[in-house]
Structures are given as C-alpha cells and as structure tokens.
Amino acid sequence: MAVEKKLMSKKKPAFPISESLDGYLKRYNRNIKIPIFYDDLLRFQGSITVFDKNDEDTLWVRTYYSEWDRVEIDNSLKKIYTMLHSDGNDEAIPFLNVDSIDYCTFGNSKPFRIKIRNILNDNYTHFYVKKADASRVYGLELEHILSPYSMNFLVYKDTLIEEHIAGIPGDDFINDFLPKCTEAEKAQIAKEFVKFKERCLVRLLGDMRSYNYVITPTHDFDQIIYKIRAIDFDQQSFEGNLKVYNLQFMKENFKMVEMVSKKLQNNSIRQYKLEERSYMAKRMITVPRRTTRLIKCMKKDTISYPENVELLKSHLIQYVGDVKFKDCNNMGEILETILEFVKRNYLDITGK
C-alpha cells in the first residue's frame, strides 16, 4: 500500500458536466432525457450482501425497494435499457424484467448495476447507473475515439448510464487463468498488455490496476485471441504523477509486467508501442472534428487541481523532452499536446 500512497493523491472529487461538454454530448446524441436519476435509486429500503461463487464478499449489495417505488423504478429502468440498446421504443418493455438492482459500496462512483432479462428467451445483460462526472465522461469518449472499441453511454443532468463491458476482470484472470495459458498465449497477452499500457499512457487514463480492466478471450479458428479493455474511467487526466498513467507501476500488474519482460524483447516492445500510437493517430485523422471538439471542451474545463497540472507538465517534459508542455495551463492542453505529438510523429514517419 505504501507504493500506492506515493502514486495516488488525495481522493478525486466528482467534477460537474460543463455547459460546453453538455453541448458536445448533445451534438453526438449522448445526452438524452431519461426517466430516472441516480438519486432515485438511493431510495432503497434494505439490502443484502452479494457473494461470488466462492462465497466471498463482492462488495456489492442487492437492494430492495417498497412495492410502490419498485414498480416505478422497474418501468423506468426498462425504458432506459431500450434507449441504450435500441431506439427507445416501448414495444419491447412487456418482454423485459429487472432481475436485480445491485449497489457497489467500493470505489469513487458507487454505481448501481442493473440486470435486465428478456423473459422470452432468458437472455440477460447489465448496465450501470452512476453519478455523472466530467472526468469519467471524457474518459469514456476518449476511449470511443482513440481505442478499437465503441463505448455506449448516455448522460442526462447528473446521471450517467453505461453499457456493461464484458470480460474477465484482470485480477481474476491473473490469478485463475493466466497460469493455465500456453506459452504462446502468454506471449500474445504480453503483446496486448504493452499496447494497452501505451494507450492508457498516451491518452492519460490513470489507475489501471488489474481490477479496473478486463481481458476478453475470443476463439479464432486455430487459437484464442486475448484483448484488454479498460472498464473504469474515473481517473481520466486527473493525477499529476505520470506513473499513475503507467500500468507497470501498479503492484497489482506486476505479474503481467514480469511476463512481458520474459516473453518480449525490447525491439518487439518498441514495435508494439509504435503500432498502438500509429493506430491512435489514424483514429484522430479519421475523426478530426470529433477529437478537436472534445479537446476544446477539456481545455475550457476544470478536471484536476492546479498542482497536479504543474507536476504532470514537469514529468512529461522529462519523459518526452518536449518543452511545449511548459505553456499548458490545464489538463486539456496537456492532452492536446501529447496527441499532437503522436499525430505529428505518425505523419512524419509515413510522409503524409
């Protein structure tokens, strides 16, 4: 824990959605009026602890509401499900059931996890209801723009609705699945970890400890392909210590870091870092207006403390050697400088 205390600063506050960010969300259909708010779900009258298959406390509790509240809440949550996954049409609502409403007692966001089941075929999925936080919204949108993955979420006033990201939690994978992987699979996971680490570092997504990302195995015709995805975007561009954005300094990731050093040579690591930066540059070039508009919102916004901004500037000057960071006044300008650096290098290499 001593290492984490040095890396992480005091508890991060929730930053409100600014007028400019709200306008951005409306432009890209992220801001849609929803029938229920986060605070409405806090009216539960009781709860019980949710245990996993090994009878260990999951830090989630299953909530219970009065009969009157439950009818209204269930109908509203079903409506949100249709808005998140479809066009908001009410035709599917009679075939949906809210199986559970769980509340997380751990972490900053204290989300509600909603389990929705189709009663016709028993297929079910989850989504989350959270307090809207500008940091998390920027993180989700940057993930959508710069990563290989689309993010499905909605924001209305002080409430954020997030689609569930399927996968094996990183800590569970490291403990239970990684030891059973073949040597070839470990090399492939090491490659993905390097690329994921580079993506988080470049776009300033912090605190990627193993329980804040998932690993998704996909069966190809002759092998299993592993991908790594972030699932917590609370620490987007907040911390001043550059190490917080570098996965290798999180003690929960040490086994993955050791595997990378065993399985990959330095030339391969550099190659995979370049591949990831090139991919991000291509994404920025493909959607230039969306990227520019989001960064413009960040530059107007306050999503960190002044001392964090100054510390991160000094760390980046040492790490990258680019004095342009000295002129940055906030986290939005810092991120813009990093992304411009990545895009410029890509264009120089490709001669475009």
Side-chain angles (χ1 to χ4, degrees):
M1 291 299 293
V3 174
E4 289 180 14
K5 286 180 181 178
K6 290 179 182 178
L7 286 179
M8 305 291 289
S9 65
K10 54 189 174 182
K11 185 178 179 180
K12 177 194 160 296
F15 294 99
I17 306 298
S18 66
E19 186 177 340
S20 61
L21 179 56
D22 187 63
Y24 172 93
L25 294 170
K26 288 176 180 175
R27 174 184 285 272
Y28 292 102
N29 297 317
R30 299 290 201 188
N31 188 309
I32 299 175
K33 186 176 181 180
I34 57 177
I36 194 170
F37 295 101
Y38 175 88
D39 287 346
D40 294 327
L41 296 180
L42 291 174
R43 301 201 307 257
F44 57 88
Q45 295 190 330
S47 64
I48 60 171
T49 301
V50 177
F51 295 95
D52 64 15
K53 61 183 180 181
N54 299 317
D55 290 329
E56 295 183 1
D57 189 348
T58 62
L59 303 179
W60 289 83
V61 295
R62 188 141 298 163
T63 61
Y64 295 95
Y65 299 82
S66 68
E67 184 176 353
W68 174 260
D69 279 343
R70 185 64 196 235
V71 172
E72 180 185 358
I73 288 172
D74 277 15
N75 286 333
S76 297
L77 292 174
K78 292 175 190 177
K79 180 66 176 178
I80 287 177
Y81 171 86
T82 65
M83 297 168 73
L84 187 66
H85 291 281
S86 185
D87 59 0
N89 194 302
D90 291 345
E91 291 182 4
I93 287 180
F95 309 112
L96 301 176
N97 187 69
V98 179
D99 278 10
S100 61
I101 303 174
D102 295 340
Y103 177 65
C104 184
T105 58
F106 175 74
N108 286 338
S109 61
K110 294 196 166 44
F112 285 92
R113 181 178 61 198
I114 316 301
K115 181 179 179 181
I116 298 283
R117 179 171 54 89
N118 186 311
I119 62 176
L120 298 178
N121 51 39
D122 278 343
N123 284 328
Y124 66 87
T125 188
H126 297 88
F127 66 85
Y128 299 88
V129 181
K130 303 178 179 181
K131 271 283 190 183
D133 171 23
S135 300
R136 178 171 279 106
V137 172
Y138 282 121
L140 286 163
E141 192 64 14
L142 285 165
E143 182 77 359
H144 182 78
I145 294 172
L146 299 178
S147 84
Y149 311 107
S150 297
M151 303 302 295
N152 190 11
F153 67 94
L154 301 172
V155 181
Y156 185 62
K157 295 186 177 179
D158 65 348
T159 299
L160 168 66
I161 310 297
E162 278 185 43
E163 184 180 46
H164 174 68
I165 299 174
I168 304 168
D171 50 348
D172 289 342
F173 185 90
I174 291 169
N175 293 328
D176 301 333
F177 294 87
L178 188 59
K180 302 173 185 177
C181 290
T182 66
E183 295 307 308
E185 288 172 341
K186 288 179 180 179
Q188 197 263 327
I189 296 168
K191 167 191 171 182
E192 289 302 317
F193 186 79
V194 169
K195 299 182 79 167
F196 177 61
K197 169 180 166 292
E198 189 68 8
R199 186 161 69 245
C200 293
L201 181 62
V202 168
R203 46 74 60 97
L204 296 181
L205 178 61
D207 192 22
M208 278 298 105
R209 286 174 279 189
S210 56
Y211 49 78
N212 286 333
Y213 58 82
V214 295
I215 298 177
T216 56
T218 302
H219 289 262
D220 200 358
F221 69 95
D222 63 348
Q223 62 179 328
I224 299 176
I225 303 297
Y226 295 89
K227 298 292 183 180
I228 305 178
R229 295 189 63 178
I231 58 172
D232 192 337
F233 302 91
D234 179 68
Q235 291 286 337
Q236 175 63 52
S237 304
F238 172 73
E239 291 287 347
N241 190 340
L242 185 60
K243 289 183 178 179
V244 175
Y245 305 104
N246 195 332
L247 280 70
Q248 73 183 56
F249 292 104
M250 305 291 175
K251 68 181 180 65
E252 293 85 354
N253 296 326
F254 281 176
K255 288 184 180 178
M256 297 287 271
V257 175
E258 288 177 351
M259 183 178 67
V260 169
S261 64
K262 290 178 182 178
K263 291 296 177 183
L264 302 180
Q265 297 180 359
N266 289 336
N267 286 341
S268 294
I269 293 174
R270 284 193 293 270
Q271 174 195 338
Y272 297 141
K273 285 183 177 181
L274 179 60
E275 285 181 8
E276 194 60 33
R277 292 189 183 193
S278 297
Y279 178 86
M280 295 173 75
K282 290 175 185 177
R283 291 286 293 171
M284 284 185 276
I285 293 169
T286 303
V287 286
R289 290 186 179 179
R290 188 163 186 159
T291 307
T292 301
R293 285 172 179 147
L294 183 65
I295 296 298
K296 185 178 180 180
C297 292
M298 287 188 73
K299 289 163 65 176
K300 294 179 181 178
D301 225 335
T302 299
I303 54 174
S304 187
Y305 300 129
E307 57 268 29
N308 287 358
V309 173
E310 292 302 315
L311 180 59
L312 186 57
K313 283 164 57 175
S314 64
H315 284 190
L316 283 167
I317 290 171
Q318 294 175 13
Y319 184 75
V320 182
D322 192 338
V323 295
K324 288 184 179 180
F325 289 106
K326 283 186 178 181
D327 299 326
C328 296
N329 296 309
N330 53 50
M331 286 296 183
E333 292 183 6
I334 290 176
L335 183 58
E336 180 182 47
T337 304
I338 295 172
L339 295 181
E340 284 299 320
F341 177 83
V342 170
K343 187 166 66 172
R344 188 169 62 249
N345 280 0
Y346 169 77
L347 294 174
D348 288 345
I349 291 172
T350 57
K352 294 181 180 179

